[in-house]
């Protein structure tokens, strides 16, 4: 089996007559048993037999091709057998004026082999080109697919966001209502700071969030303090300081009974000499309308 496979590999060598007499004999014996090699050899001969006429538009007369092929394949045998059989030179003479001279210089089979190499290389290039075209179009369709996927991903993301928002609304624990949102404006002309007061109902609680920005630096023990003013009575909503950018915030939980948003007349921020006063000691610097 291994020997046969090895011989199958040598069909080109046989075709190109690149074999010793012993090898040739062995291969010809193999050829009787191996249909694959016979088939391949036949194809090689057909290919090279057609090649000389490829550049000529005129079809050769019927039968000429076969006679030439016969000549090509028999020429080596004839040399071996010293030409005991009459040569069929006439077919070759039709297209080659000096067959004997030419044969001595460049054997016909050598021309066939060279043509075969050329033809195979042309076929090979065509196959490569076709493969390349296929790869290019595959790449293009992959790129298109990628764009589609990106688009689908964006769609899914926005769907996901919508679902998140929906589930927030559906979830009773997540209920969040803004009951009041008010700007806190500077009470004095020279003061640059500003703030906002927001009363949020969430998870069954009511929270007041006061945030400030662009506030002036505090000195020493000083602190800002937020106040809910109900009628005449200010209720502390907590002291706070600010960061280096003048931003700060405080959150105050409103108990249901004492301080509903309806009862709050005003929200104010004072600058206190120290934090956590029962009643305001400093000036009001920010206040809601
Ligand atoms: Zn074989």
């Amino acid at each position: 089996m291994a020997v046969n496979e090895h011989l199958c590999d040598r069909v080109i060598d046989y075709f190109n007559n690149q074999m010793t007499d012993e090898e040739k004999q062995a291969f010809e014996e193999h050829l009787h048993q191996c249909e694959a090699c016979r088939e391949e050899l036949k194809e090689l001969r057909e290919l090279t037999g057609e090649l000389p006429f490829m550049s000529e538009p005129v079809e050769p007369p019927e039968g000429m091709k076969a006679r030439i092929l016969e000549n090509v394949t028999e020429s080596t045998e004839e040399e071996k057998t010293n030409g005991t059989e009459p040569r069929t030179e006439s077919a070759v003479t039709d297209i080659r004026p000096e067959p004997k001279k030419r044969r001595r210089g460049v054997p016909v089979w050598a021309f066939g082999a060279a043509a075969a190499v050329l033809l195979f290389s042309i076929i090979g290039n065509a196959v490569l080109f076709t493969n390349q075209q296929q790869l290019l179009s595959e790449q293009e369709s992959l790129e298109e697919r990628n764009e589609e996927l990106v688009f689908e991903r964006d769609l899914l993301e926005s769907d996901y966001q919508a679902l998140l928002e929906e589930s927030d609304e559906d979830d009773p624990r997540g209920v969040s209502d803004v009951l009041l949102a008010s700007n806190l404006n500077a009470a004095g002309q020279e003061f640059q700071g500003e703030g906002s007061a927001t009363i949020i109902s969430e998870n069954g609680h009511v929270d007041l969030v006061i945030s400030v920005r662009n506030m002036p630096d505090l000195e020493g023990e000083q602190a800002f303090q937020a106040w809910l003013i109900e009628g005449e009575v200010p209720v502390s909503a907590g002291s706070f300081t600010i960061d280096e950018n003048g931003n700060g915030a405080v959150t105050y939980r409103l108990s249901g009974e004492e301080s509903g948003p309806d009862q709050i007349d005003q929200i104010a921020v004072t600058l206190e000499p120290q934090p956590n006063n029962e009643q305001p000691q400093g000036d009001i610097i920010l206040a809601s309308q």
Side-chain angles (χ1 to χ4, degrees):
M1 200 60 181
V3 174
N4 280 356
E5 277 172 18
H6 178 69
L7 283 169
C8 288
D9 288 340
R10 299 211 60 192
V11 64
I12 294 278
D13 289 337
Y14 177 77
F15 176 74
N16 289 340
N17 206 28
Q18 289 171 346
M19 276 183 169
T20 65
D21 286 348
E22 277 176 18
E23 285 173 330
K24 207 181 290 177
Q25 204 175 347
F27 187 83
E28 277 162 0
E29 276 170 30
H30 167 74
L31 212 51
H32 285 298
Q33 298 151 22
C34 183
E35 198 188 333
C37 281
R38 282 200 303 273
E39 194 61 33
E40 193 172 348
L41 199 60
K42 187 176 156 238
E43 282 169 18
L44 283 169
R45 283 166 178 169
E46 279 170 4
L47 270 173
T48 54
E50 278 165 23
L51 203 67
F53 306 106
M54 280 173 73
S55 58
E56 295 174 26
V58 182
E59 270 291 306
E62 196 66 32
M64 179 189 275
K65 207 157 57 180
R67 286 198 302 278
I68 294 169
L69 274 174
E70 231 171 66
N71 238 4
V72 168
T73 54
E74 280 173 11
S75 60
T76 51
E77 290 297 319
E78 284 165 15
E79 278 158 33
K80 226 198 295 186
T81 55
N82 234 357
T84 50
E85 284 173 22
R87 293 192 166 199
T88 51
E89 294 286 355
S90 58
V92 177
T93 312
D94 289 343
I95 52 167
R96 297 191 178 87
E98 300 167 70
K100 284 195 169 170
K101 198 174 169 189
R102 181 178 286 265
R103 180 163 290 175
R104 225 166 279 132
V106 182
V108 175
W109 58 260
F111 172 74
V117 168
L118 177 67
L119 184 65
F120 287 151
S121 115
I122 292 167
I123 291 169
N125 284 341
V127 168
L128 278 176
F129 181 73
T130 309
N131 285 346
Q132 198 181 9
Q133 291 301 310
Q134 278 170 358
L135 281 173
L136 278 173
S137 74
E138 266 169 28
Q139 193 186 355
E140 270 167 22
S141 64
L142 278 174
E143 273 166 10
E144 275 169 24
R145 183 69 191 130
N146 188 38
E147 274 172 23
E148 284 170 16
L149 284 173
V150 166
F151 181 64
E152 278 169 23
R153 187 198 65 192
D154 288 348
L155 275 182
L156 282 173
E157 255 171 27
S158 64
D159 283 352
Y160 180 60
Q161 287 301 322
L163 276 174
L164 278 182
E165 280 163 25
E166 261 176 40
S167 71
D168 272 354
E169 282 164 20
D170 292 343
D171 188 355
R173 291 167 303 166
V175 169
S176 164
D177 266 327
V178 174
L179 305 177
L180 182 149
S182 174
N183 287 329
L184 301 177
N185 298 314
Q189 287 290 324
E190 307 121 64
F191 193 74
Q192 291 299 309
E194 56 183 349
S196 63
T198 313
I199 295 174
I200 302 162
S201 169
E202 187 171 25
N203 299 334
H205 302 291
V206 179
D207 290 321
L208 167 67
V209 179
I210 290 169
S211 65
V212 296
R213 55 191 173 273
N214 298 327
M215 298 293 272
D217 288 337
L218 294 167
E219 290 168 21
E221 293 253 286
Q222 281 183 331
F224 298 110
Q225 193 160 353
W227 305 91
L228 308 175
I229 298 162
E230 301 171 9
E232 295 298 309
V233 186
V235 175
S236 174
S239 290
F240 60 96
T241 56
I242 50 170
D243 65 14
E244 65 269 22
N245 298 316
N247 302 324
V250 64
T251 302
Y252 178 74
R253 178 147 296 173
L254 300 165
S255 66
E257 311 133 27
E258 64 178 24
S259 314
D262 296 342
Q263 294 158 272
I264 298 169
D265 295 318
Q266 198 174 34
I267 295 160
V269 173
T270 57
L271 176 59
E272 298 292 310
Q274 68 281 319
N276 300 319
N277 296 308
E278 289 285 319
Q279 289 298 309
Q281 294 170 18
D283 296 329
I284 292 176
I285 52 170
L286 295 175
S288 63
Q289 296 299 315

